[in-house]
Amino acid sequence: MKVTANGIDIHYTIEGEGQVVTMSHALGCNLSMWEEQANALRGRYRVLRYDTRGHGQTSASPGPYSLEQMADDVHGLLNVLGVTQTHFVGISMGGMIGQLFALKYPNMLLSLTLCSTTSRYPATIRTAWEDRIRTVDAKGIEPMVEPAIQRWFTPAFRERRSDIMERVRTMLRSTPPQGYIGCCHAIPTIDVTDRLGEVRCQALVVAGEDDPGTPIAMAQEIHAALPSSELAVLRPASHLCNLEQREAFNQTLLSFLDKVTEKRNSNDPCGSD
């Protein structure tokens, strides 16, 4: 399904009943990366997955993009669908979008889950992103595929689950180069660590023990900055820990969402925004 919001056509799927859980994917992926989580959640929650600007079947508008712009995309999608409050789950780039969304639209959040992400990058990282932009501009997405697979999964998992590796390669290859590049301009600009104290909803921070791109130290920094948060480290797992440790990830996420929901239903002030 598609809606027009914030100047683009946004592709989404929504299923289940209950409080809404909005799920935001990683760079080079699409809403299908959350399939296992949607299956686990939809018995108790209304799961909203969407393709980020420039990804999947959502418009690849001319870039560069900004994280605030992509947070506004989420806001526009929710408004069109009539969703006034939601739990938000974001991984990698999706977690960055979630942080901007939480700071800009705090009253819309029931909870915030940030997976394999960071709240700031060192200035030195920008050169690497500029190199990536130049490569995709000149050669397309293909040079990004195998390096991403190497970063996103541990060697043992890559060897054991060739089916998931092919699925992720397909997602990457289907990403429009313009959309990928647009998001590459946005990602290294994140710098909100010092503002995370403004976030009042309950939060869960999830990290893969073996993640080289957003290591545990980045998750610990977010956890320390968020007033009402808990930290979960999945082992063994690299960047896409929702795929590599599906059962542990689903159990951790469901337990957190159920706890937040129970607190809100009991009018516990710790469960309110």
Side-chain angles (χ1 to χ4, degrees):
M1 295 177 282
K2 288 187 179 182
V3 298
T4 300
N6 203 29
I8 59 171
D9 293 331
I10 301 176
H11 175 242
Y12 72 96
T13 183
I14 190 164
E15 53 194 324
E17 297 297 333
Q19 293 180 343
V20 175
V21 178
T22 301
M23 312 196 82
S24 185
H25 61 73
L27 176 69
C29 297
N30 57 51
L31 61 78
S32 70
M33 76 164 293
W34 293 118
E35 192 71 41
E36 287 84 353
Q37 284 68 54
N39 290 339
L41 294 174
R42 64 187 177 191
R44 284 182 256 180
Y45 295 92
R46 189 157 173 77
V47 182
L48 170 62
R49 294 176 288 153
Y50 75 99
D51 289 337
T52 301
R53 178 182 291 257
H55 287 66
Q57 297 179 52
T58 291
S59 303
S61 60
Y65 308 157
S66 71
L67 292 170
E68 183 171 353
Q69 179 184 35
M70 291 189 279
D72 289 341
D73 292 343
V74 178
H75 181 256
L77 172 63
L78 294 173
N79 278 348
V80 172
L81 297 179
V83 176
T84 57
Q85 287 192 307
T86 183
H87 301 276
F88 189 96
V89 181
I91 190 166
S92 194
M93 177 178 70
M96 299 176 199
I97 295 169
Q99 291 170 73
L100 270 293
F101 184 84
L103 292 168
K104 192 166 185 180
Y105 304 105
N107 293 332
M108 296 189 75
L109 275 185
L110 297 170
S111 74
L112 178 65
T113 298
L114 303 173
C115 316
S116 303
T117 195
T118 185
S119 55
R120 64 180 164 198
Y121 278 119
T124 53
I125 202 72
R126 296 205 178 195
T127 300
W129 285 97
E130 290 167 1
D131 290 344
R132 191 182 297 197
I133 289 167
R134 282 192 293 269
T135 298
V136 175
D137 189 44
K139 301 179 181 179
I141 290 289
E142 190 60 33
M144 299 295 106
V145 176
E146 291 309 315
I149 294 293
Q150 299 290 318
R151 292 191 309 271
W152 289 356
F153 303 101
T154 62
F157 188 75
R158 293 199 303 267
E159 183 175 347
R160 187 171 72 251
R161 294 303 303 269
S162 60
D163 57 325
I164 293 180
M165 298 308 103
E166 286 308 308
R167 173 181 159 196
V168 174
R169 287 185 181 103
T170 299
M171 278 196 291
L172 280 160
R173 289 175 175 137
S174 69
T175 303
Q178 179 172 270
Y180 188 96
I181 289 171
C183 290
C184 284
H185 282 284
I187 289 171
T189 68
I190 188 159
D191 186 10
V192 296
T193 308
D194 295 339
R195 294 189 58 202
L196 291 180
E198 301 170 25
V199 178
R200 291 296 171 221
C201 67
Q202 299 289 111
L204 170 66
V205 184
V206 183
E209 182 182 45
D210 310 292
D211 185 356
T214 51
I216 293 174
M218 289 181 170
Q220 291 170 332
E221 183 174 53
I222 293 172
H223 172 51
L226 282 170
S228 301
S229 67
E230 54 191 82
L231 174 65
V233 178
L234 303 184
R235 306 176 174 90
S238 191
H239 195 58
L240 296 192
C241 56
N242 69 306
L243 296 177
E244 185 158 356
Q245 287 290 347
R246 178 186 64 185
E247 291 184 5
F249 185 97
N250 291 351
Q251 183 179 8
T252 299
L253 178 58
L254 262 174
S255 175
F256 170 72
L257 292 174
D258 288 348
K259 181 169 59 179
V260 172
T261 301
E262 183 179 351
K263 283 183 178 179
R264 295 185 67 90
N265 289 344
S266 65
N267 295 316
D268 184 331
C270 292
S272 61
D273 293 339

